[in-house]
Amino acid sequence: MKKKLPLREKIFQFVNGLVFAILGLTMLLPFINLLAKSLSSETAVLAGRVGLWPVGFQTGTYRYVLTEPQFIRSFCNSVLITICGSAIAMILTCMVAYPLSRGWLKGRKFFILIFVFVMLFNGGMVPTYLLINGLHMLNTYWALILPPAFSVYNMILLKNFFEELPESVEESARLDGAGNMDILFRIVLPMSLPAIATIGLFYAVGFWNNYMGGVMYITDPGYKPLQQYLYELVTETQRLQEDMITGDLNLDRDAINMVPDAIRAATIMLSSVPIMLVYPFLQKYFVKGLVVGSVKG
């Protein structure tokens, strides 16, 4: 039988739920407005009559965006960068976090101090660019993968989670002749799925939303990530307007019935789909991993 909550506790829960509902709607409304604008007619968008529901429903903007060669190329680039970058980042983070979480590592405190110092005081934008240029990685995928492939903050979170795991399991494995690599990949990582999923999602979102990397290191259209393409689309509406005026589009003008604002909205919506599809599969681990590293510092 459930214990009856006191009145002040019920009031607190109601107010708490109301505040979170308002915050959730505040974050969701701009997204809904973009979706409505991407599905609305040209006249409705130009007149500013689009709110939270499409006016003059049409899908021509999505057909145009999905047939735009540069969008497809940039989308594929971002998918490749996100998958490869997240995999490399997780391998590096796990390989560093595990030994730093164990007392048998000589100079452990010194190494942790170095990592924290680097996290607080990095080289800066210009030295980083000179390094990437000196390594001949400009206009390559590696320029977008390697610089953000290791986060000291994520490593510290994972290290703290590893420290909370029972050491008795590792001691039993060592008695059976297991080495450090066997313990890490066969015992520690399977026991750390919530933390791995959480940190992996952090990395994936970071790689997918990486905008500065493309602006700084990429000029070749063949290597541009999706976020760089979105920036150019938002700032270069004149090209789209000229295409509409001259009819330099591959689709029927009457079927398209679109304006640059609607195209930008459709592009942003399509760029958000991959992350929204990934999250449900990681949700059960992500919720458990939200407290990763919160016990030990």
Side-chain angles (χ1 to χ4, degrees):
M1 183 175 179
K2 289 186 178 181
K3 185 178 180 181
K4 188 175 181 181
L5 296 175
L7 179 60
R8 61 180 181 180
E9 185 68 21
K10 292 182 179 180
I11 295 175
F12 171 78
Q13 291 188 0
F14 173 77
V15 174
N16 194 37
L18 181 63
V19 170
F20 276 102
I22 294 174
L23 290 176
L25 287 175
T26 302
M27 299 176 185
L28 190 61
L29 289 179
F31 188 81
I32 297 176
N33 177 255
L34 276 178
L35 178 61
K37 189 177 292 185
S38 68
L39 295 172
S40 298
S41 65
E42 174 186 6
T43 54
V45 175
L46 289 175
R49 294 188 289 110
V50 181
L52 302 179
W53 193 259
V55 179
F57 182 84
Q58 55 83 31
T59 59
T61 50
Y62 287 95
R63 293 201 303 272
Y64 170 74
V65 172
L66 291 174
T67 56
E68 181 71 16
Q70 185 58 49
F71 172 81
I72 301 298
R73 188 180 299 112
S74 298
F75 187 91
C76 293
N77 288 340
S78 288
V79 171
L80 176 64
I81 292 166
T82 300
I83 294 176
C84 295
S86 299
I88 294 174
M90 286 307 303
I91 292 174
L92 293 176
T93 303
C94 292
M95 296 289 286
V96 175
Y98 175 66
L100 290 179
S101 67
R102 296 297 178 258
W104 46 257
L105 178 66
K106 295 182 179 180
R108 174 172 171 264
K109 293 184 178 179
F110 173 73
F111 290 122
I112 293 176
L113 179 62
I114 291 178
F115 281 113
V116 173
F117 181 84
V118 172
M119 179 178 66
L120 298 176
F121 307 98
N122 55 63
M125 185 180 299
V126 174
T128 303
Y129 177 84
L130 294 177
L131 176 62
I132 298 298
N133 185 34
L135 294 174
H136 305 287
M137 291 197 304
L138 294 180
N139 288 317
T140 65
Y141 290 123
W142 293 115
L144 302 175
I145 293 176
L146 292 183
F150 183 81
S151 169
V152 177
Y153 177 77
N154 290 339
M155 183 274 293
I156 293 176
L157 291 180
L158 196 58
K159 177 189 77 70
N160 293 343
F161 187 89
F162 287 162
E163 289 177 348
E164 299 171 12
L165 298 177
E167 296 183 2
S168 58
V169 179
E170 296 186 32
E171 293 174 356
S172 300
R174 291 188 189 280
L175 292 176
D176 294 335
N180 291 327
M181 296 297 290
D182 292 330
I183 294 175
L184 173 61
F185 287 101
R186 296 185 180 183
I187 297 177
V188 175
L189 294 186
M191 295 173 60
S192 308
L193 286 181
I196 298 297
T198 303
I199 301 300
L201 186 61
F202 288 166
Y203 275 122
V205 173
F207 277 105
W208 185 261
N209 292 331
N210 186 11
Y211 158 73
M212 287 303 300
V215 173
M216 291 178 61
Y217 309 130
I218 303 299
T219 56
D220 187 346
Y223 294 98
K224 287 183 179 180
L226 185 59
Q227 301 305 321
Q228 187 178 0
Y229 171 78
L230 286 176
Y231 169 77
E232 294 176 353
L233 184 66
V234 170
T235 56
E236 297 178 8
T237 58
Q238 186 62 36
R239 178 181 64 85
L240 296 176
Q241 293 172 344
E242 291 176 356
D243 287 344
M244 292 174 59
I245 294 174
T246 60
D248 190 17
L249 295 172
N250 295 326
L251 300 174
D252 181 18
R253 177 66 177 82
D254 295 331
I256 295 174
N257 194 29
M258 61 185 180
V259 291
D261 283 344
I263 295 178
R264 289 198 299 268
T267 306
I268 293 172
M269 291 298 302
L270 290 173
S271 67
S272 304
V273 168
I275 296 298
M276 291 190 295
L277 293 178
V278 170
Y279 178 76
F281 296 100
L282 299 177
Q283 183 178 9
K284 63 178 181 179
Y285 299 114
F286 182 74
V287 173
K288 295 178 182 178
L290 284 176
V291 295
V292 56
S294 62
V295 177
K296 293 184 180 181

